mmCIF file of all heavy atoms in Angstrom:
data_model
loop_
_atom_site.group_PDB
_atom_site.id
_atom_site.type_symbol
_atom_site.label_atom_id
_atom_site.label_comp_id
_atom_site.label_asym_id
_atom_site.label_seq_id
_atom_site.Cartn_x
_atom_site.Cartn_y
_atom_site.Cartn_z
ATOM 1 N N ASP A 7 -8.263 17.374 -3.317
ATOM 2 C CA ASP A 7 -7.058 17.115 -2.517
ATOM 3 C C ASP A 7 -7.032 17.989 -1.273
ATOM 4 O O ASP A 7 -6.722 17.522 -0.170
ATOM 5 C CB ASP A 7 -5.804 17.367 -3.356
ATOM 6 C CG ASP A 7 -5.724 16.461 -4.575
ATOM 7 O OD1 ASP A 7 -5.666 15.241 -4.395
ATOM 8 O OD2 ASP A 7 -5.729 16.977 -5.705
ATOM 9 N N LEU A 8 -7.342 19.281 -1.445
ATOM 10 C CA LEU A 8 -7.378 20.199 -0.306
ATOM 11 C C LEU A 8 -8.359 19.705 0.751
ATOM 12 O O LEU A 8 -8.013 19.603 1.941
ATOM 13 C CB LEU A 8 -7.775 21.595 -0.779
ATOM 14 C CG LEU A 8 -8.150 22.593 0.331
ATOM 15 C CD1 LEU A 8 -6.934 22.964 1.153
ATOM 16 C CD2 LEU A 8 -8.824 23.830 -0.255
ATOM 17 N N ILE A 9 -9.572 19.395 0.342
ATOM 18 C CA ILE A 9 -10.597 18.995 1.306
ATOM 19 C C ILE A 9 -10.244 17.658 1.952
ATOM 20 O O ILE A 9 -10.431 17.471 3.159
ATOM 21 C CB ILE A 9 -11.982 18.940 0.636
ATOM 22 C CG1 ILE A 9 -12.349 20.329 0.084
ATOM 23 C CG2 ILE A 9 -13.035 18.463 1.619
ATOM 24 C CD1 ILE A 9 -12.351 21.437 1.127
ATOM 25 N N HIS A 10 -9.716 16.726 1.176
ATOM 26 C CA HIS A 10 -9.306 15.444 1.763
ATOM 27 C C HIS A 10 -8.246 15.650 2.849
ATOM 28 O O HIS A 10 -8.263 14.966 3.878
ATOM 29 C CB HIS A 10 -8.751 14.515 0.684
ATOM 30 C CG HIS A 10 -9.801 13.905 -0.178
ATOM 31 N ND1 HIS A 10 -9.510 13.192 -1.323
ATOM 32 C CD2 HIS A 10 -11.154 13.897 -0.077
ATOM 33 C CE1 HIS A 10 -10.621 12.774 -1.884
ATOM 34 N NE2 HIS A 10 -11.641 13.193 -1.149
ATOM 35 N N SER A 11 -7.333 16.582 2.634
ATOM 36 C CA SER A 11 -6.274 16.811 3.627
ATOM 37 C C SER A 11 -6.830 17.408 4.921
ATOM 38 O O SER A 11 -6.240 17.248 5.991
ATOM 39 C CB SER A 11 -5.188 17.733 3.056
ATOM 40 O OG SER A 11 -5.622 19.086 2.985
ATOM 41 N N LEU A 12 -7.965 18.097 4.824
ATOM 42 C CA LEU A 12 -8.575 18.729 5.993
ATOM 43 C C LEU A 12 -9.619 17.838 6.670
ATOM 44 O O LEU A 12 -9.934 18.040 7.849
ATOM 45 C CB LEU A 12 -9.234 20.047 5.580
ATOM 46 C CG LEU A 12 -8.267 21.163 5.181
ATOM 47 C CD1 LEU A 12 -9.005 22.283 4.456
ATOM 48 C CD2 LEU A 12 -7.538 21.708 6.395
ATOM 49 N N LYS A 13 -10.150 16.881 5.945
ATOM 50 C CA LYS A 13 -11.121 15.949 6.513
ATOM 51 C C LYS A 13 -10.409 14.927 7.410
ATOM 52 O O LYS A 13 -9.181 14.785 7.369
ATOM 53 C CB LYS A 13 -11.855 15.218 5.386
ATOM 54 C CG LYS A 13 -12.862 16.066 4.611
ATOM 55 C CD LYS A 13 -14.133 16.275 5.407
ATOM 56 C CE LYS A 13 -15.211 16.927 4.536
ATOM 57 N NZ LYS A 13 -16.466 17.141 5.302
ATOM 58 N N PRO A 14 -11.152 14.193 8.240
ATOM 59 C CA PRO A 14 -10.521 13.174 9.078
ATOM 60 C C PRO A 14 -9.766 12.127 8.270
ATOM 61 O O PRO A 14 -10.113 11.818 7.131
ATOM 62 C CB PRO A 14 -11.713 12.550 9.820
ATOM 63 C CG PRO A 14 -12.727 13.643 9.873
ATOM 64 C CD PRO A 14 -12.572 14.372 8.570
ATOM 65 N N ASP A 15 -8.727 11.592 8.885
ATOM 66 C CA ASP A 15 -7.938 10.506 8.312
ATOM 67 C C ASP A 15 -8.874 9.352 7.938
ATOM 68 O O ASP A 15 -9.732 8.958 8.731
ATOM 69 C CB ASP A 15 -6.917 10.047 9.365
ATOM 70 C CG ASP A 15 -5.978 8.984 8.860
ATOM 71 O OD1 ASP A 15 -6.466 7.906 8.451
ATOM 72 O OD2 ASP A 15 -4.752 9.196 8.898
ATOM 73 N N PRO A 16 -8.735 8.767 6.723
ATOM 74 C CA PRO A 16 -9.659 7.707 6.312
ATOM 75 C C PRO A 16 -9.531 6.423 7.126
ATOM 76 O O PRO A 16 -10.418 5.569 7.067
ATOM 77 C CB PRO A 16 -9.290 7.469 4.838
ATOM 78 C CG PRO A 16 -7.883 7.951 4.706
ATOM 79 C CD PRO A 16 -7.761 9.099 5.660
ATOM 80 N N ILE A 17 -8.444 6.282 7.892
ATOM 81 C CA ILE A 17 -8.271 5.096 8.734
ATOM 82 C C ILE A 17 -8.739 5.367 10.160
ATOM 83 O O ILE A 17 -9.548 4.630 10.725
ATOM 84 C CB ILE A 17 -6.795 4.635 8.748
ATOM 85 C CG1 ILE A 17 -6.296 4.431 7.319
ATOM 86 C CG2 ILE A 17 -6.642 3.355 9.575
ATOM 87 C CD1 ILE A 17 -7.065 3.412 6.511
ATOM 88 N N THR A 18 -8.244 6.467 10.745
ATOM 89 C CA THR A 18 -8.547 6.760 12.151
ATOM 90 C C THR A 18 -9.846 7.524 12.339
ATOM 91 O O THR A 18 -10.394 7.558 13.435
ATOM 92 C CB THR A 18 -7.422 7.590 12.781
ATOM 93 O OG1 THR A 18 -7.381 8.899 12.153
ATOM 94 C CG2 THR A 18 -6.064 6.913 12.597
ATOM 95 N N ASN A 19 -10.344 8.171 11.281
ATOM 96 C CA ASN A 19 -11.515 9.048 11.336
ATOM 97 C C ASN A 19 -11.307 10.205 12.310
ATOM 98 O O ASN A 19 -12.253 10.700 12.927
ATOM 99 C CB ASN A 19 -12.786 8.274 11.711
ATOM 100 C CG ASN A 19 -14.046 9.054 11.335
ATOM 101 O OD1 ASN A 19 -14.083 9.738 10.313
ATOM 102 N ND2 ASN A 19 -15.067 8.967 12.169
ATOM 103 N N VAL A 20 -10.068 10.681 12.434
ATOM 104 C CA VAL A 20 -9.727 11.801 13.298
ATOM 105 C C VAL A 20 -9.055 12.872 12.438
ATOM 106 O O VAL A 20 -8.150 12.572 11.658
ATOM 107 C CB VAL A 20 -8.780 11.367 14.438
ATOM 108 C CG1 VAL A 20 -8.323 12.569 15.256
ATOM 109 C CG2 VAL A 20 -9.472 10.353 15.338
ATOM 110 N N GLN A 21 -9.504 14.114 12.590
ATOM 111 C CA GLN A 21 -8.839 15.207 11.880
ATOM 112 C C GLN A 21 -7.432 15.358 12.429
ATOM 113 O O GLN A 21 -7.214 15.337 13.638
ATOM 114 C CB GLN A 21 -9.609 16.511 12.040
ATOM 115 C CG GLN A 21 -9.067 17.633 11.153
ATOM 116 C CD GLN A 21 -9.778 18.956 11.366
ATOM 117 O OE1 GLN A 21 -10.255 19.226 12.454
ATOM 118 N NE2 GLN A 21 -9.864 19.774 10.330
ATOM 119 N N ASP A 22 -6.462 15.510 11.550
ATOM 120 C CA ASP A 22 -5.056 15.541 11.944
ATOM 121 C C ASP A 22 -4.369 16.693 11.223
ATOM 122 O O ASP A 22 -4.291 16.713 9.995
ATOM 123 C CB ASP A 22 -4.398 14.205 11.564
ATOM 124 C CG ASP A 22 -2.980 14.062 12.107
ATOM 125 O OD1 ASP A 22 -2.384 15.088 12.502
ATOM 126 O OD2 ASP A 22 -2.471 12.931 12.133
ATOM 127 N N SER A 23 -3.868 17.662 11.996
ATOM 128 C CA SER A 23 -3.250 18.843 11.385
ATOM 129 C C SER A 23 -2.031 18.472 10.546
ATOM 130 O O SER A 23 -1.666 19.210 9.628
ATOM 131 C CB SER A 23 -2.862 19.854 12.458
ATOM 132 O OG SER A 23 -1.895 19.314 13.342
ATOM 133 N N GLU A 24 -1.386 17.329 10.826
ATOM 134 C CA GLU A 24 -0.229 16.936 10.027
ATOM 135 C C GLU A 24 -0.625 16.697 8.574
ATOM 136 O O GLU A 24 0.129 17.016 7.654
ATOM 137 C CB GLU A 24 0.421 15.676 10.595
ATOM 138 C CG GLU A 24 1.688 15.287 9.846
ATOM 139 C CD GLU A 24 2.399 14.096 10.441
ATOM 140 O OE1 GLU A 24 1.752 13.034 10.598
ATOM 141 O OE2 GLU A 24 3.608 14.215 10.749
ATOM 142 N N ARG A 25 -1.805 16.151 8.358
ATOM 143 C CA ARG A 25 -2.273 15.918 6.991
ATOM 144 C C ARG A 25 -2.451 17.234 6.250
ATOM 145 O O ARG A 25 -2.068 17.361 5.087
ATOM 146 C CB ARG A 25 -3.593 15.137 7.019
ATOM 147 C CG ARG A 25 -3.465 13.709 7.482
ATOM 148 C CD ARG A 25 -4.795 13.071 7.870
ATOM 149 N NE ARG A 25 -5.891 13.400 6.983
ATOM 150 C CZ ARG A 25 -6.138 12.800 5.822
ATOM 151 N NH1 ARG A 25 -5.331 11.826 5.402
ATOM 152 N NH2 ARG A 25 -7.170 13.152 5.080
ATOM 153 N N ALA A 26 -3.027 18.238 6.946
ATOM 154 C CA ALA A 26 -3.242 19.540 6.302
ATOM 155 C C ALA A 26 -1.912 20.205 5.971
ATOM 156 O O ALA A 26 -1.706 20.693 4.849
ATOM 157 C CB ALA A 26 -4.073 20.434 7.220
ATOM 158 N N PHE A 27 -0.998 20.219 6.936
ATOM 159 C CA PHE A 27 0.288 20.870 6.688
ATOM 160 C C PHE A 27 1.144 20.082 5.697
ATOM 161 O O PHE A 27 1.988 20.664 5.004
ATOM 162 C CB PHE A 27 1.037 21.082 8.001
ATOM 163 C CG PHE A 27 0.547 22.278 8.780
ATOM 164 C CD1 PHE A 27 -0.171 22.115 9.947
ATOM 165 C CD2 PHE A 27 0.795 23.568 8.318
ATOM 166 C CE1 PHE A 27 -0.641 23.213 10.654
ATOM 167 C CE2 PHE A 27 0.333 24.671 9.017
ATOM 168 C CZ PHE A 27 -0.395 24.489 10.191
ATOM 169 N N ASP A 28 0.940 18.796 5.618
ATOM 170 C CA ASP A 28 1.632 18.004 4.594
ATOM 171 C C ASP A 28 1.234 18.497 3.203
ATOM 172 O O ASP A 28 2.085 18.682 2.321
ATOM 173 C CB ASP A 28 1.268 16.532 4.769
ATOM 174 C CG ASP A 28 1.995 15.625 3.789
ATOM 175 O OD1 ASP A 28 3.165 15.915 3.454
ATOM 176 O OD2 ASP A 28 1.397 14.626 3.351
ATOM 177 N N PHE A 29 -0.062 18.731 3.008
ATOM 178 C CA PHE A 29 -0.534 19.257 1.727
ATOM 179 C C PHE A 29 -0.049 20.691 1.515
ATOM 180 O O PHE A 29 0.482 21.046 0.462
ATOM 181 C CB PHE A 29 -2.066 19.193 1.675
ATOM 182 C CG PHE A 29 -2.670 19.799 0.442
ATOM 183 C CD1 PHE A 29 -2.692 19.099 -0.756
ATOM 184 C CD2 PHE A 29 -3.214 21.079 0.464
ATOM 185 C CE1 PHE A 29 -3.247 19.659 -1.908
ATOM 186 C CE2 PHE A 29 -3.765 21.646 -0.669
ATOM 187 C CZ PHE A 29 -3.782 20.928 -1.863
ATOM 188 N N TRP A 30 -0.226 21.542 2.518
ATOM 189 C CA TRP A 30 0.132 22.955 2.378
ATOM 190 C C TRP A 30 1.630 23.166 2.185
ATOM 191 O O TRP A 30 2.040 24.110 1.503
ATOM 192 C CB TRP A 30 -0.334 23.736 3.615
ATOM 193 C CG TRP A 30 -1.817 23.881 3.703
ATOM 194 C CD1 TRP A 30 -2.711 23.906 2.664
ATOM 195 C CD2 TRP A 30 -2.598 24.009 4.896
ATOM 196 N NE1 TRP A 30 -3.995 24.041 3.142
ATOM 197 C CE2 TRP A 30 -3.959 24.123 4.492
ATOM 198 C CE3 TRP A 30 -2.289 24.058 6.256
ATOM 199 C CZ2 TRP A 30 -4.993 24.266 5.430
ATOM 200 C CZ3 TRP A 30 -3.312 24.205 7.173
ATOM 201 C CH2 TRP A 30 -4.644 24.307 6.765
ATOM 202 N N SER A 31 2.451 22.310 2.780
ATOM 203 C CA SER A 31 3.900 22.481 2.636
ATOM 204 C C SER A 31 4.342 22.283 1.197
ATOM 205 O O SER A 31 5.443 22.692 0.819
ATOM 206 C CB SER A 31 4.645 21.504 3.557
ATOM 207 O OG SER A 31 4.464 20.158 3.143
ATOM 208 N N ASN A 32 3.490 21.660 0.398
ATOM 209 C CA ASN A 32 3.757 21.474 -1.031
ATOM 210 C C ASN A 32 2.877 22.359 -1.906
ATOM 211 O O ASN A 32 2.821 22.181 -3.120
ATOM 212 C CB ASN A 32 3.527 20.003 -1.403
ATOM 213 C CG ASN A 32 4.492 19.068 -0.702
ATOM 214 O OD1 ASN A 32 5.691 19.095 -0.962
ATOM 215 N ND2 ASN A 32 3.980 18.265 0.214
ATOM 216 N N THR A 33 2.191 23.335 -1.274
ATOM 217 C CA THR A 33 1.247 24.194 -1.982
ATOM 218 C C THR A 33 1.474 25.637 -1.549
ATOM 219 O O THR A 33 0.692 26.199 -0.764
ATOM 220 C CB THR A 33 -0.202 23.752 -1.691
ATOM 221 O OG1 THR A 33 -0.321 22.335 -1.851
ATOM 222 C CG2 THR A 33 -1.191 24.447 -2.622
#
């Protein structure tokens, strides 16, 4: 889960800090 949140978005293939902070805000 951690690595998926830091890897590029599976649709856009662009790394997005919102995905990482979405995970971290719950961790």
Side-chain angles (χ1 to χ4, degrees):
D7 299 298
L8 167 69
I9 300 303
H10 284 171
S11 74
L12 291 165
K13 288 284 189 180
D15 184 301
I17 306 301
T18 66
N19 198 36
V20 175
Q21 188 183 30
D22 188 344
S23 62
E24 184 176 55
R25 291 164 41 82
F27 281 109
D28 183 35
F29 176 79
W30 290 332
S31 67
N32 296 293
T33 312

